[in-house]
Amino acid sequence: MKKNAFKPPANWSKLYAKVKEIRDKLEAPVDTVGCSKLFDKSASAETRRYHILLALMLSAQTKDHVTAAAMHALIRYGCTPELVSKMSEKKLDGFISKVGFHNTKTKHIKAATETILKKHQGMVPRAYADLIALPGIGPKMAHLFLQEADGVVLGIGVDTHVHRISQRFHWVPATVKTPEDTRKALESWLPPEHWGEINGLLVGLGQTICTPRLPRCSECPAAELCPNAFKEAKTGGKRGRIADIEDVGTPRVRKSRGRGCTFYFFFFFYFCLIPHAHAHTPSLSAICVFLALLIVPCWRPAMYVSSFTLNMITLPAFV
């Protein structure tokens, strides 16, 4: 362990063992339709590796059963690097349209597939550095892919479940903000023999008991060991939303349309409340009022109703 590494609670090993005990008896979606299960068993070994990679790319910010449905549709059509490369983006998007960020994932799958064909002879790379160089693949996906497809454990795959529960267990510093921060913190002290299994353990726990909102602490056998037990259950489980998606692009932020509102009130007051200023051109004033009240409020569709009402009230004053 590094000299200044984070020190977890003294009872971490007991809590870890209890989580393993819980998961041995508790089946979760990740156990049946997780990414490691979403491949065609009759396909070649390399094609199965490609299926697991695509499943991981589709899984970010998406429920397991939705990812499974998308993968099953692709596999039925024919899911090989060659076929996906020839597939149009529109057709590919049609297969995965139910998953989160499907438009961006479509582009990344196409780009990653082209890289696999051109630089890796149609085989998903086995080196970590080559994996994270693929579009849409970050540390979490790369580590999970190597674990599930090749049985190679180089690090911990941290998604929102692992990130959230590690915080609740106080297994990471309170200052961590992202899943990648959590990965580094966990790897600084957690024995490497646990790196390959911790994702499945905590993801399953997070899907069933230690849920994002209103965790079921009263049903959790590990509650007596958890430093955060019942705290979020009492407060409604309100937590900051953590983005799990890796390299899928920046979420679109709607721009402020305050200027539309400014113009709306400008025209309303200028033409409606001071009509005498335009007494010499009543027809032109009426047209301006009509256009202002009808067009400017387009920034908020609900204002069409108020625009129409105001037209009916104010226009007679100019005729």
Side-chain angles (χ1 to χ4, degrees), residues 15-279:
L15 182 53
Y16 191 94
K18 178 59 71 172
V19 171
K20 289 188 66 173
E21 180 183 325
I22 295 171
R23 290 289 286 115
D24 285 341
K25 303 174 182 178
L26 182 66
E27 185 176 82
V30 69
D31 302 320
T32 55
V33 288
C35 295
S36 62
K37 309 293 190 298
L38 303 180
F39 59 84
D40 183 0
K41 295 181 180 179
S42 64
S44 66
E46 284 301 327
T47 299
R48 292 199 296 269
R49 295 178 73 249
Y50 181 67
H51 290 174
I52 293 174
L53 181 71
L54 261 56
L56 284 166
M57 295 180 75
L58 295 176
S59 68
Q61 290 293 295
T62 304
K63 299 283 188 182
D64 281 348
H65 70 276
V66 177
T67 301
M71 280 304 301
H72 290 157
L74 278 172
I75 290 172
R76 282 195 299 270
Y77 176 82
C79 188
T80 64
E82 293 76 15
L83 289 175
V84 172
S85 176
K86 295 176 182 178
M87 197 183 299
S88 67
E89 285 192 8
K90 183 177 180 181
K91 190 174 186 66
L92 176 58
D93 188 68
F95 286 118
I96 68 171
S97 60
K98 301 296 183 181
V99 307
F101 297 91
H102 59 91
N103 291 321
T104 302
K105 290 177 182 178
T106 294
K107 297 182 183 298
H108 284 169
I109 288 174
K110 291 286 289 182
T113 299
E114 290 299 323
T115 301
I116 289 170
L117 287 171
K118 293 179 179 179
K119 294 186 177 181
H120 303 285
Q121 296 74 50
M123 298 182 290
V124 181
R126 285 175 164 76
Y128 176 81
D130 291 333
L131 281 170
I132 60 174
L134 296 175
I137 302 296
K140 181 201 76 172
M141 292 185 193
H143 285 306
L144 289 178
F145 175 80
L146 290 173
Q147 291 174 24
E148 302 298 344
D150 299 331
V152 176
V153 179
L154 298 179
I156 300 173
V158 177
D159 64 357
T160 51
H161 292 294
V162 179
H163 177 66
R164 178 182 70 255
I165 296 174
S166 293
Q167 288 180 310
R168 287 175 174 170
F169 286 174
H170 294 182
W171 284 358
V172 293
T175 55
V176 299
K177 300 296 183 182
T178 67
E180 180 61 8
D181 291 338
T182 292
R183 179 186 70 81
K184 294 175 181 178
L186 286 174
E187 289 178 1
S188 72
W189 65 267
L190 187 68
E193 58 264 29
H194 298 311
W195 290 7
E197 66 180 2
I198 188 172
N199 180 273
L201 292 176
L202 297 190
V203 168
L205 186 69
Q207 290 177 333
T208 54
I209 296 177
C210 200
T211 51
R213 295 180 63 84
L214 296 176
R216 303 171 183 173
C217 300
S218 60
E219 303 174 22
C220 183
E224 61 181 12
L225 296 171
C226 177
N228 207 53
F230 300 101
K231 292 182 180 179
E232 289 183 38
K234 293 179 181 178
T235 60
K238 294 183 179 180
R239 302 175 58 83
R241 185 176 181 273
I242 302 297
D244 176 38
I245 201 122
E246 292 182 294
D247 304 327
V248 295
T250 304
R252 182 181 178 184
V253 179
R254 296 186 65 182
K255 296 181 179 180
S256 171
R257 298 181 179 178
R259 287 184 296 177
C261 187
T262 301
F263 279 116
Y264 172 79
F265 284 109
F266 171 77
F267 278 110
F268 177 72
F269 283 105
Y270 190 68
F271 287 113
C272 298
L273 300 185
I274 317 178
H276 62 274
H278 300 273

